[in-house]
Amino acid sequence: MNAIEVEGISKHYGSLRAVDGVSLSIESGTIFGLLGPNGAGKTTLIAMLVTMRRPTSGSARVNGFDITKQADSVRKSIGIVFQDPSLDDELTARENLELHAAMYAVPKQVRHGRIEEVIKLVGLEKHLKQQVKTFSGGMKRRLEIARGLVHHPKILFLDEPTIGLDPQTRAGIWDYIKKLNEKEGITIILTTHYMDEADSTCQRVGIIDSGKIIALDTPENLKNTLGGDVISIKCGGTDQCVNEISQLKWVKGAVKHGGFVDVRVEKGEEKIPKILRLMEQHGIPVESVSLHKPSLDDVFLHYTGKTIREDEAGPRDAMRLRRRAWGHRK
Ligand SMILES: Nc1ncnc2c1ncn2[C@@H]1O[C@H](COP(=O)(O)OP(=O)(O)OP(=O)(O)O)[C@@H](O)[C@H]1O
Ligand SMILES: [Mg+2]
């Protein structure tokens, strides 16, 4: 059975097509990752699926319920972890969870048990009585995940669950997400900017750009369709470098990003000397060369012509993190 069925869904803001005719299905019990640059339409797509925004056109079913005609049933069957932090800092962890349980009409007699259960899943059982404002960023994120689970949803939506956290905390959160999926069988739908983490966590990913899904498959298949090796060249004059390299008949593709040119070839180790000779002939200075198998980053670059590096996470995120650091209440 499919947890999600989306058919030609769009959301327009004036002339902007934030989501533009997206169709996709997500199988129950899987982890699905939605990847895309800032402003691609990830949050808008998720907001429609969780019934917080009405589509301009198209339709979707979540757990078999129609998102416009059966919004209440959709809401009861899903959990959400928003991109922006949404805990009440003044309350304790337990109070935050109780508030949520009450909002979702979890019966009083089972609330206590549920809270104990979800807090253990994210390893925060020792901090239940602590005010949330004393929590680290990672602890808050884990508590938000726990909160999204209190009413036993079949699907959990996570919009950028690890943005702005340090690598170790991010790894911990991904472990919790995988555990939830494996042990509890919860379908997970997430968005992320971290390609390698999406690669190791998601069974399927969709790449979204300018409101459209441009690639949809397992990370393995997406990487395999690129094939071969990627030679990454740091050089001066990237435009000229791309022009010259593109003319070689054994080059499958060459794209520039930042001060780099990424070249896709078969048997990369044999091609490096040839490329270096070509650069020398044309007087293009080369600073460094490296060779790797295609990653999801390369897939992303191939389909969108852009990279999705952490430092490109965008000014909105930077602002959010600063606000968080200064302890602003939303
Ligand atoms: N309420 C709104 N009114 C007008 N435009 C909006 C609104 N919400 C989103 N947009 C625009 O729709 C586009 C998609 O935004 P969305 O937040 O879905 O992107 P995103 O992929 O989640 O980006 P990010 O990675 O930064 O979170 C952007 O151009 C954004 O400016
Ligand atoms: Mg977003």
Side-chain angles (χ1 to χ4, degrees), residues 32-204:
F32 180 85
L34 198 54
L35 315 175
N38 284 129
K42 304 178 295 293
T43 298
T44 308
L45 177 56
I46 286 191
M48 290 192 283
L49 296 179
V50 304
T51 78
M52 288 174 60
R53 295 251 198 292
R54 263 186 104 82
T56 310
S57 59
S59 63
R61 288 187 166 270
V62 173
N63 282 319
F65 303 115
D66 186 285
I67 54 163
T68 41
K69 297 185 195 115
Q70 298 168 290
D72 270 356
S73 305
V74 170
R75 277 183 215 161
K76 280 184 198 139
S77 70
I78 59 173
I80 316 170
V81 177
F82 296 104
Q83 184 166 358
D84 292 313
S86 62
L87 293 163
D88 193 323
D89 269 1
E90 298 296 326
L91 300 183
T92 64
R94 182 187 289 283
E95 285 163 347
N96 267 285
L97 296 177
E98 270 171 2
L99 195 66
H100 182 87
M103 249 162 57
Y104 275 83
V106 175
K108 263 199 174 139
Q109 60 276 22
V110 297
R111 264 181 225 170
H112 185 81
R114 289 280 179 89
I115 289 173
E116 301 287 320
E117 168 199 316
V118 295
I119 205 76
K120 268 195 204 126
L121 272 174
V122 296
L124 285 176
E125 57 271 38
K126 293 204 182 96
H127 304 277
L128 264 175
K129 290 188 191 147
Q130 220 170 302
Q131 255 182 324
V132 170
K133 66 180 170 195
T134 66
F135 278 22
S136 70
M139 288 164 77
K140 285 185 188 174
R141 221 50 189 146
R142 277 148 65 197
L143 181 59
E144 288 189 308
I145 294 175
R147 186 182 59 176
L149 295 169
V150 167
H151 56 291
H152 277 181
K154 291 206 184 91
I155 307 180
L156 183 64
F157 288 89
L158 299 142
D159 197 359
E160 296 286 356
T162 56
I163 193 112
L165 302 173
D166 64 88
Q168 202 183 342
T169 311
R170 290 210 303 269
I173 298 231
W174 291 120
D175 280 346
Y176 290 120
I177 291 174
K178 281 195 236 176
K179 191 169 79 181
L180 275 175
N181 172 256
E182 280 163 20
K183 293 213 178 125
E184 315 290 321
I186 297 175
T187 308
I188 311 260
I189 292 154
L190 58 90
T191 74
T192 183
H193 275 91
Y194 302 107
M195 293 302 210
D196 49 336
E197 294 168 12
D199 193 348
S200 56
T201 310
C202 303
Q203 282 124 19
R204 271 175 86 231

Side-chain angles (χ1 to χ4, degrees), residues 36-40 42 83 160 163 192-195 256-260 297 300-301 304-318 320-321:
N38 284 129
K42 304 178 295 293
Q83 184 166 358
E160 296 286 356
I163 193 112
T192 183
H193 275 91
Y194 302 107
M195 293 302 210
K256 62 168 187 166
H257 61 96
F260 289 85
D297 273 306
F300 192 82
L301 183 63
T304 66
K306 292 173 266 205
T307 55
I308 191 170
R309 303 259 181 265
E310 199 175 326
D311 55 356
E312 289 169 4
R316 282 166 56 200
D317 295 312
R320 255 197 304 270
L321 295 176

